[in-house]
Amino acid sequence: MTRRAGCGGDGVVAWQQRADVVVIGTGVAGLAAALAAHRKGSRTVILSKAAETATFHAQGGIAVVLPHTEDSVDAHVRDTLAAGAGLCDPEAVRSIVADGYRAVADLVADGARFDESAPGQWALTREGGHSIRRIIHAGGDATGAEVQRALDHAAAMLGIRRNHVALEILHDGSAVNGVLVRNADGLGVVHAPSVILATGGLGHLYSATTNPEGSTGDGIALALWAGVGVSDIEFVQFHPTMLFDRGAAGRRPLITEALRGEGAVLRDARGDSVTDGVHPMADLAPRDVVAAAIEARLRETGDECVYLDARSVERFEQRFPTVTAACHVAGIDPTTQPIPVVPGAHYSCGGVRTDVYGRTELPGLFAAGEVARTGMHGANRLASNSLLEGLVVGGRAGRDAAEHARSAGVPMAKALPVQRDTLDRRVLQSAMTQWASVMRDASGLDSLAAVLETAAQRPMSSRADFEDAALTATARVVDEAARARTETRGCHHRSDYPQTDPTQAFSRTVHAEPAAACLP
Ligand code: SIN
């Protein structure tokens, strides 16, 4: 046992372990990465703090170009770039889209099964921003659950370390050498030359979100604390249709966009269409457009929610069992009643800056899935492109991390538990919800900055301490990037700058302030 004269937590490193590759997170990107690294012969350790992943809750499906159909990689790239509002990296988009079918085929080889419209032919649906039906799904609207089931099964022999909170990426300034972790035995160090962040999103920056409880910006914070930049972090995507329930907080049910692909329509309390005249694709416009149209209608009418009328959708309960169950819990029969909905924090389009192999600026540190910013999503992610990106880039990052581990020396990490700035979670969530949601302006973002300044140092003694610190660090960079972007673009809407400014068609990369030194 090594005692450290640290300044946080209990200061004791109680256990140590060696690995080639450490994967933090167990959603689609994490498990695709872990399996790929393992299949390359790496000793792979998977850390997970929570039981639930965002992947499990994904409803719509996976956007993928199937061979021998009227769809094409060009068309999928075009739709993705249009949704991304000028900030996608076209080469990254093409690279990921073109590799999609191969990655899905690997997932099928690992046991995933998708819905069929005829024997041997996958059923395809459509969502906002897609010019064609190209979304494969499973269990009706339970695609994520099927993807998670297949990957959990395939990765079972790797042994996921549950209730392990990764507190810090250990590095010497030029390369990664491990991870500082807290579990039931206390602090530990996993010494490893390659670490893959696959920690998901940041929805719990807000009071209500479609994200599972573990989505607290962990990977964003870990990267920032390691000196690695994050890009496009101001682009938080609000899903247009989160189930409305007055006063409900935390994770809220998603009402999948695929319902609108099957004919459901958005109306206000008076029965008027919400999206008529707003965009040529009306209810199937990209989701930033639909979310902003709902927000504008709610401001205009003073209503609390709008309604998704899905009564015309055929075989509703069979096709959308997850939505049916969520509505029933809320006392709504979606086959006879319109569903009350509001926009909800759903997806971080930006994240840790990587290339399409998940490589960050710090050798040995990789990121994949929602936590990463590859250039695929730009200012607004196209629906159902996230499972695709997680699958493709997760696999690539796993292979690359294994390669990196082979060429790197045997690392010896030094850990020094630290204190971090943290703000009370309810205070942070209410400030983010008030000032950094669908609609933003300079004065609100300044008020948010002032609240974030009041964060106080706390030792990282528990999962909650760490999550509050991660939320605080993440909120600060969202606020900084949102203040700097003095225009409206994609899912970043500024009421004081309602136009898109062509001179701001670039990604912004933010680094954290150097961490307050925490000396022995
Ligand atoms: C949905 O089913 O509407 C969500 C899918 C996604 O976020 O890509």
Side-chain angles (χ1 to χ4, degrees), residues 57-62 127-128 130 135 141 143 210 237 239-241 254-260 287 346-347 381-387:
H57 290 289
Q59 293 184 10
I62 307 179
E127 290 180 80
H130 289 274
I135 296 159
D141 60 1
T143 312
T210 62
Q237 184 174 74
H239 195 287
T241 56
L254 176 75
I255 305 298
T256 179
E257 201 162 296
L259 269 164
R260 278 175 280 136
R287 57 177 64 151
H346 182 59
Y347 194 87
R381 177 181 61 96
L382 185 66
S384 287
N385 266 355
S386 48
L387 290 177

Side-chain angles (χ1 to χ4, degrees), residues 3-59:
R3 178 165 293 279
R4 305 271 174 195
C7 56
D10 45 20
V12 173
V13 172
W15 55 273
Q16 306 197 39
Q17 193 180 355
R18 283 200 173 280
D20 299 317
V21 176
V22 179
V23 178
I24 309 172
T26 54
V28 62
L31 293 187
L35 282 165
H38 168 74
R39 286 168 181 161
K40 281 269 179 192
S42 282
R43 284 173 302 171
T44 305
V45 165
I46 310 171
L47 306 175
S48 165
K49 67 168 190 181
E52 273 193 338
T53 65
T55 295
F56 176 81
H57 290 289
Q59 293 184 10

Side-chain angles (χ1 to χ4, degrees), residues 289-312:
V289 175
V290 180
I294 295 174
E295 186 77 9
R297 184 64 55 92
L298 295 180
R299 276 171 198 242
E300 200 181 299
T301 59
D303 294 337
E304 288 179 309
C305 65
V306 296
Y307 295 87
L308 185 68
D309 188 344
R311 288 175 290 185
S312 66

Side-chain angles (χ1 to χ4, degrees), residues 54-335:
T55 295
F56 176 81
H57 290 289
Q59 293 184 10
I62 307 179
V64 64
V65 177
L66 302 182
H68 317 301
T69 61
E70 53 180 329
D71 199 6
S72 67
V73 168
D74 282 347
H76 191 173
V77 169
R78 222 174 14 250
D79 291 347
T80 301
L81 297 183
L87 287 204
C88 295
D89 172 342
E91 281 174 32
V93 174
R94 181 166 294 280
S95 162
I96 293 167
V97 165
D99 208 9
Y101 182 67
R102 183 209 52 77
V104 169
D106 284 354
L107 184 63
V108 169
D110 277 328
R113 293 292 168 260
F114 294 97
D115 296 338
E116 296 185 342
S117 53
Q121 196 175 315
W122 283 334
L124 299 175
T125 192
R126 197 174 159 198
E127 290 180 80
H130 289 274
S131 57
I132 192 168
R133 286 182 172 258
R134 67 162 68 91
I135 296 159
I136 59 171
H137 48 86
D141 60 1
T143 312
E146 172 61 5
V147 170
Q148 190 74 55
R149 183 201 63 74
L151 289 172
D152 278 346
H153 182 74
M157 80 287 191
L158 298 180
I160 294 167
R161 270 80 160 171
R162 305 261 177 213
N163 300 313
H164 282 56
V165 184
L167 298 177
E168 193 156 3
I169 305 302
L170 303 171
H171 63 98
D172 63 8
S174 61
V176 163
N177 46 37
V179 190
L180 179 65
V181 182
R182 181 175 287 286
N183 70 3
D185 297 327
L187 284 177
V189 173
V190 186
H191 304 272
S194 292
V195 175
I196 303 175
L197 300 171
T199 50
L202 44 67
H204 286 267
L205 285 176
Y206 297 89
S207 304
T209 170
T210 62
N211 292 184
E213 40 130 28
S215 298
T216 49
D218 301 5
I220 302 288
L222 289 169
L224 288 167
W225 294 329
V228 170
V230 303
S231 297
D232 298 339
I233 199 69
E234 64 272 38
F235 298 106
V236 178
Q237 184 174 74
F238 283 75
H239 195 287
T241 56
M242 178 175 79
L243 185 63
F244 171 73
D245 187 357
R246 188 172 304 117
R251 190 183 93 73
R252 302 288 307 135
L254 176 75
I255 305 298
T256 179
E257 201 162 296
L259 269 164
R260 278 175 280 136
E262 301 300 339
V265 290
L266 280 164
R267 298 191 195 285
D268 64 18
R270 278 147 290 278
D272 294 333
S273 161
V274 174
T275 57
D276 260 6
V278 168
H279 189 280
M281 293 173 92
D283 281 341
L284 281 174
R287 57 177 64 151
D288 65 302
V289 175
V290 180
I294 295 174
E295 186 77 9
R297 184 64 55 92
L298 295 180
R299 276 171 198 242
E300 200 181 299
T301 59
D303 294 337
E304 288 179 309
C305 65
V306 296
Y307 295 87
L308 185 68
D309 188 344
R311 288 175 290 185
S312 66
V313 174
E314 286 171 14
R315 298 173 49 250
F316 191 105
E317 292 178 6
Q318 290 96 317
R319 176 67 181 84
F320 297 102
T322 312
V323 172
T324 302
C327 286
H328 286 172
V329 169
I332 298 153
D333 177 356
T335 63

